[in-house]
């Protein structure tokens, strides 16, 4: 009876340890933590094309919709539409900040064309025209 009780306690400790490690390594928790600390974090499941990715940068949460299409040799993500969850938090962000986000997305989806939702779209177009 005592041996059985010890085994149950040991199994419970192992289970609690497993749950704690799973919680610490959860990417959703890391995203929320980075959002609160105003750091950059990219949360995505590249294997699931239907699931949007989330990016947090300087305390602003962005969501990216992925669209599948054909390239020369395969089906890949060819278009991405990015928009902020809250436009009011965009204050203080500039062209270089959005270029940084674009570059991080391009690292993961090199064949994709990136489009932004208004008002970021107008800012990006205006600055790209000034670069030419």
């Amino acid at each position: 009876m005592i041996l059985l009780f010890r085994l149950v306690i040991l199994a419970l400790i192992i289970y609690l340890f497993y749950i704690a490690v799973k919680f610490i390594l959860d990417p959703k928790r890391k995203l929320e933590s980075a959002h609160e600390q105003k750091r950059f974090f990219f949360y995505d499941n590249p294997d699931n094309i239907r699931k949007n990715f989330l990016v947090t940068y300087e305390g602003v949460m962005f969501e990216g919709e992925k669209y599948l299409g054909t390239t020369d040799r395969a089906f890949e993500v060819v278009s991405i539409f990015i928009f902020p969850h809250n436009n009011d938090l965009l204050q203080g962000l500039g062209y270089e900040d959005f270029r940084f986000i674009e570059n991080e997305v391009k690292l993961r989806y090199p064949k994709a064309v990136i489009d932004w939702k208004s008002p970021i779209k107008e800012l990006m177009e205006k600055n790209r025209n000034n670069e030419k």
Side-chain angles (χ1 to χ4, degrees):
M1 180 72 176
I2 292 177
L3 182 62
L4 180 63
F5 183 70
R6 286 182 180 174
L7 286 175
V8 169
I9 295 292
L10 180 63
L12 182 64
I13 290 171
I14 291 172
Y15 177 72
L16 291 175
F17 182 73
Y18 169 76
I19 294 294
V21 168
K22 190 174 175 183
F23 175 77
I24 290 170
L25 298 178
D26 182 29
K28 268 288 211 201
R29 189 195 64 78
K30 289 181 180 180
L31 175 73
E32 291 170 4
S33 175
H35 183 67
E36 290 171 3
Q37 297 172 4
K38 297 186 176 186
R39 292 183 295 120
F40 174 79
F41 189 80
F42 193 94
Y43 174 73
D44 185 24
N45 184 357
D47 298 330
N48 188 350
I49 194 67
R50 294 177 183 228
K51 216 166 189 190
N52 295 345
F53 63 80
L54 296 171
V55 176
T56 182
Y57 180 77
E58 297 292 328
V60 182
M61 186 72 70
F62 296 92
E63 187 167 348
E65 295 178 359
K66 304 178 277 188
Y67 296 97
L68 189 66
T70 57
T71 59
D72 294 337
R73 297 182 181 239
F75 287 98
E76 294 184 39
V77 174
V78 295
S79 178
I80 295 176
F81 185 69
I82 303 175
F83 55 93
H85 281 190
N86 187 349
N87 285 343
D88 297 338
L89 299 175
L90 294 175
Q91 182 178 354
L93 294 181
Y95 175 72
E96 292 302 320
D97 297 314
F98 299 116
R99 288 288 298 153
F100 173 78
I101 294 169
E102 276 187 355
N103 290 335
E104 290 295 323
V105 172
K106 280 285 195 185
L107 287 174
R108 290 152 178 93
Y109 300 102
K111 305 246 188 232
V113 174
I114 299 172
D115 291 317
W116 292 89
K117 184 179 175 185
S118 187
I120 300 169
K121 180 178 184 175
E122 288 80 12
L123 173 73
M124 298 301 284
E125 288 174 355
K126 185 172 105 177
N127 282 288
R128 283 189 183 123
N129 290 336
N130 290 340
E131 284 180 354
K132 293 180 182 180

